[in-house]
Amino acid sequence: MVSGETRKADDASVALAVSTVIFALRRDEASGLATVWLPLVRRIREPFDGLWALPGGPLGAAEDLATAAGRTLGETTGLIPGYLEQLYAFGNADRSPGPRVVSIVYWALVQSEEAERASVGENVQWFPADDLPALAFDHNLIVDYALWRLRNKMEYSRIAHAFLGETFTLTQLREVHEAVRGRPLDPANFRRFIEGSDAVVATDQRVTGTRHRPPRLYRYNTSIDLADQGPLSRLNERREP
Amino acid sequence: MVSGETRKADDASVALAVSTVIFALRRDEASGLATVWLPLVRRIREPFDGLWALPGGPLGAAEDLATAAGRTLGETTGLIPGYLEQLYAFGNADRSPGPRVVSIVYWALVQSEEAERASVGENVQWFPADDLPALAFDHNLIVDYALWRLRNKMEYSRIAHAFLGETFTLTQLREVHEAVRGRPLDPANFRRFIEGSDAVVATDQRVTGTRHRPPRLYRYNTSIDLADQGPLSRLNERREP
DNA sequence: TCAAGTAAGGGTCATTACAACCCTAAGTCC
DNA sequence: GGACTTAGGGTTGTAATGACCCTTACTTGA
C-alpha cells in the first residue's frame, strides 16, 4: 500500500550503468553509398573480456541520466553527439553473468566530420551497424533495437540533420534518409515533402564548383525544435505497427 | 576506454525503484461517455507523506523489470494488467529530496471489470487522468507522459482491446478509441478501418436483448500479437512529430 | 566555342487513404 | 403496426503519395 520510491532495493548489489548507442554515416568509397556505423569499445576485464561493447559507465552521484550518457560517451570515445535520447532500460536478471546490472541505454547521432575527429585506437573502433560481431552482454539486441528506432524515427521526425553540418543541400539530406532507410528516394518527391513540412529553411547561398547546376543550401528550422527529447516534449515520437 | 557494465556506481546510495501507470476506462453515469482513470496510492512516509503517488516498489534481486512492475502493482492495488510496457526511466538528480532515486516506470492497461474488482480503500483510489491533484515526486509529469503515449499509441496500434473483455462489439471498441482520443469517430469509417486491418476476427455470436439490430461479437486476432513489447518485438511503436 | 553530361528544381498524373455523408437492416418498445 | 435506435453497408470528394517528365544551370571535354 506504499509507494516504494524511497525504499532501497532489497539486494544492494544491483548496479546501475548508462550506455549509449551512437550512430554516424560513412560513405563507402567503392559504391559511393552511405551506411550506418557505430563505435564500440573493447572490454578489458571479465565478463566478456576482449569482446566489443557499447560505450558507457556508472551513473555519477549527482548526475542526470542523459548527462551521464553524454559524459561516459565522451570519456570513452571523445564524441559529442548532436542528438541524444533515451532508448530503453535493460534489466533482465540474466542479462549479465555475475552481479546484477541494470543498463539505462541512450541512443545518439553524430555528424560525420565530428565522427572522423574522434579518437579511434586499438580499443575503440567503428563497425557497420547491420553487420556486427558477437558483442558483450545483450548488446547485439540493444543495437538492433536502436537501429530500428533510428529507422522508424527517420520516417516521421526531423532528426536527419543531426548527421549533417549547419547547412546542407537537399540532396545531402536525401542521402541521409536513403542511407538510413536503405532504399533510394525520388529526388523530386523528397524535395516536395521536405519543403512542405517547414522542417527546413532556405538560405540564399548556393554551392558552387559542382559539375552541374549549383544547389541551394538549407538550414534547419530551429524555431520548431525547442526541446526534442523524452517526456518533456511531445515532438519526438510517433508510430509503430 | 572501458565499458562500464560491471562497475558499481561511485555512490552506492542510488536506489532503483519500479513504478507503473495503469489506466482503465470509466463511464460517466451522467453523460454516458467514458474517460481515462488511474489508481494512485497514498504515501505514508516522508518525503511527500500523505500525497498520492504511483504504485511501485523496489526491484527484487533476481527479478526482471517488467515482473517487478507487475508484482508491485499487484501488491499495492490488486490489479492484473492486460497490457504492460516500459515507459521511461526517470532519474534526474533533483527529482526527489533525500537519497537519489531512479525510477523505471511502466505503463499498463486493465479491463474495466477487472478494475472494479480491485481493492480500493483509504490508501488506494482512482482518479481521472486529465484532472489530477498534485502528486508526489515528478509523478504528474510521468502520468502526463504515459497518457500521451496511450493516446499516441492508440492511433496506430492494436492495444484498445486491453480495455475490453474476450469478445466485444465494434461499437464497444469504437467507444474505447473515442474515450482515449477524446472525440467522436464515424461508426461506418471506424468499422471499415478495423475490418481492413486484420486486428479483429468476427465470431458467429451476436448480442441480443438490445433495443435495436443485434450487433456481432468480435474477438482479437491473436495470431498477430505474438510478443508486443519492447526491444523484442517491432510491433509496438511508431510515430511522433 | 559548343555539345554532352549531370544534378537541380519545377511540374503532371494516377493511385490510394480517409473523412463526410447517406441509406437500408433488424431488432425493441409502445 | 409504427416509431425508434443502432448495425452495417455503400458513395463521393479531397488530400497525400509515388512514378514519371521536363527544363534549368552549371562543368567538362572536344
Side-chain angles (χ1 to χ4, degrees), chain B residues 31-231:
Chain B
S31 71
L33 295 175
T35 52
V36 180
W37 291 63
L38 79 164
L40 295 172
V41 178
R42 193 195 297 274
R43 285 186 61 80
I44 56 172
R45 68 181 70 187
E46 290 298 336
F48 301 109
D49 188 18
L51 286 192
W52 296 95
L54 293 171
L59 176 66
E63 193 180 37
D64 290 348
L65 297 175
T67 309
R71 176 183 58 78
T72 57
L73 178 68
E75 285 172 3
T76 50
T77 66
L79 292 167
I80 298 170
Y83 181 82
L84 182 71
E85 179 188 332
Q86 191 177 300
L87 177 67
Y88 199 77
F90 294 84
N92 272 4
D94 61 356
R95 65 184 288 271
S96 164
R100 177 83 181 272
V101 181
V102 171
S103 282
I104 297 177
V105 180
Y106 279 72
W107 67 288
L109 306 180
V110 67
Q111 295 179 208
S112 303
E113 307 148 26
E114 166 76 11
E116 300 294 339
R117 270 199 296 280
S119 63
V120 173
E122 197 184 332
N123 291 324
V124 179
Q125 271 183 35
W126 288 82
F127 293 82
D130 303 307
D131 185 27
L132 293 178
L135 306 183
F137 306 101
D138 50 1
H139 289 192
N140 284 289
L141 173 70
I142 295 176
V143 172
D144 284 350
Y145 185 45
L147 195 52
W148 172 81
R149 274 270 281 265
L150 167 63
R151 291 188 167 131
N152 189 276
K153 193 151 192 172
M154 186 69 72
E155 290 186 4
Y156 59 80
S157 187
R158 307 165 50 252
I159 54 172
H161 75 289
F163 281 120
L164 299 171
E166 182 77 8
T167 58
F168 45 84
T169 67
L170 288 191
T171 295
Q172 289 177 311
L173 188 64
R174 176 169 51 81
E175 285 170 348
V176 170
H177 278 86
E178 288 175 338
V180 172
R181 294 162 69 164
R183 65 184 168 96
L185 300 173
D186 183 283
N189 291 337
F190 182 78
R191 172 177 304 276
R192 195 178 23 167
F193 175 75
I194 291 294
E195 288 181 336
S197 78
D198 45 347
V200 111
V201 179
T203 69
D204 51 3
Q205 302 163 37
R206 289 174 183 274
V207 177
T208 57
T210 61
R211 70 169 66 178
H212 52 76
R213 177 172 171 173
R216 185 182 290 273
L217 281 171
Y218 288 79
R219 182 185 307 279
Y220 249 82
N221 184 358
T222 50
S223 71
I224 306 183
D225 271 346
L226 308 170
D228 214 27
Q229 274 105 299

Side-chain angles (χ1 to χ4, degrees), chain A residues 1-11 13-17 19 41-47 53-54 56-65 75-76 86 88-93 95 100-104 106 119 124 137 139 141 144-145 148-149 152 156-157 230-232 234-241, chain B residues 1-11 13-17 19 41-47 53-54 56-65 75-76 86 88-93 95 100-104 106 119 124 137 139 141 144-145 148-149 152 156-157 230-232 234-241:
Chain A
M1 290 297 184
V2 179
S3 168
E5 280 278 353
T6 52
R7 295 198 213 144
K8 295 210 178 169
D10 354 310
D11 187 345
S13 76
V14 176
L16 193 57
S19 303
V41 179
R42 193 194 299 274
R43 285 185 60 80
I44 56 172
R45 67 180 72 187
E46 291 295 337
L54 294 172
L59 176 67
E63 193 180 36
D64 290 348
L65 297 175
E75 286 172 3
T76 51
Q86 192 178 302
Y88 199 77
F90 293 83
N92 271 4
R95 67 183 286 270
R100 177 83 182 270
V101 181
V102 171
S103 283
I104 297 177
Y106 279 72
S119 64
V124 178
F137 305 100
H139 289 191
L141 173 69
D144 283 350
Y145 185 45
W148 172 82
R149 276 269 280 264
N152 189 275
Y156 58 79
S157 187
L232 303 169
R234 303 295 125 90
L235 291 172
N236 58 323
E237 297 184 43
R238 255 205 189 162
R239 296 189 209 159
E240 323 183 19
Chain B
M1 290 295 186
V2 177
S3 169
E5 279 277 354
T6 52
R7 294 199 214 143
K8 295 208 180 171
D10 357 309
D11 186 345
S13 77
V14 175
L16 192 57
S19 302
V41 178
R42 193 195 297 274
R43 285 186 61 80
I44 56 172
R45 68 181 70 187
E46 290 298 336
L54 293 171
L59 176 66
E63 193 180 37
D64 290 348
L65 297 175
E75 285 172 3
T76 50
Q86 191 177 300
Y88 199 77
F90 294 84
N92 272 4
R95 65 184 288 271
R100 177 83 181 272
V101 181
V102 171
S103 282
I104 297 177
Y106 279 72
S119 63
V124 179
F137 306 101
H139 289 192
L141 173 70
D144 284 350
Y145 185 45
W148 172 81
R149 274 270 281 265
N152 189 276
Y156 59 80
S157 187
L232 304 169
R234 301 297 124 90
L235 291 171
N236 57 323
E237 295 182 48
R238 253 205 194 162
R239 290 189 214 162
E240 324 182 21

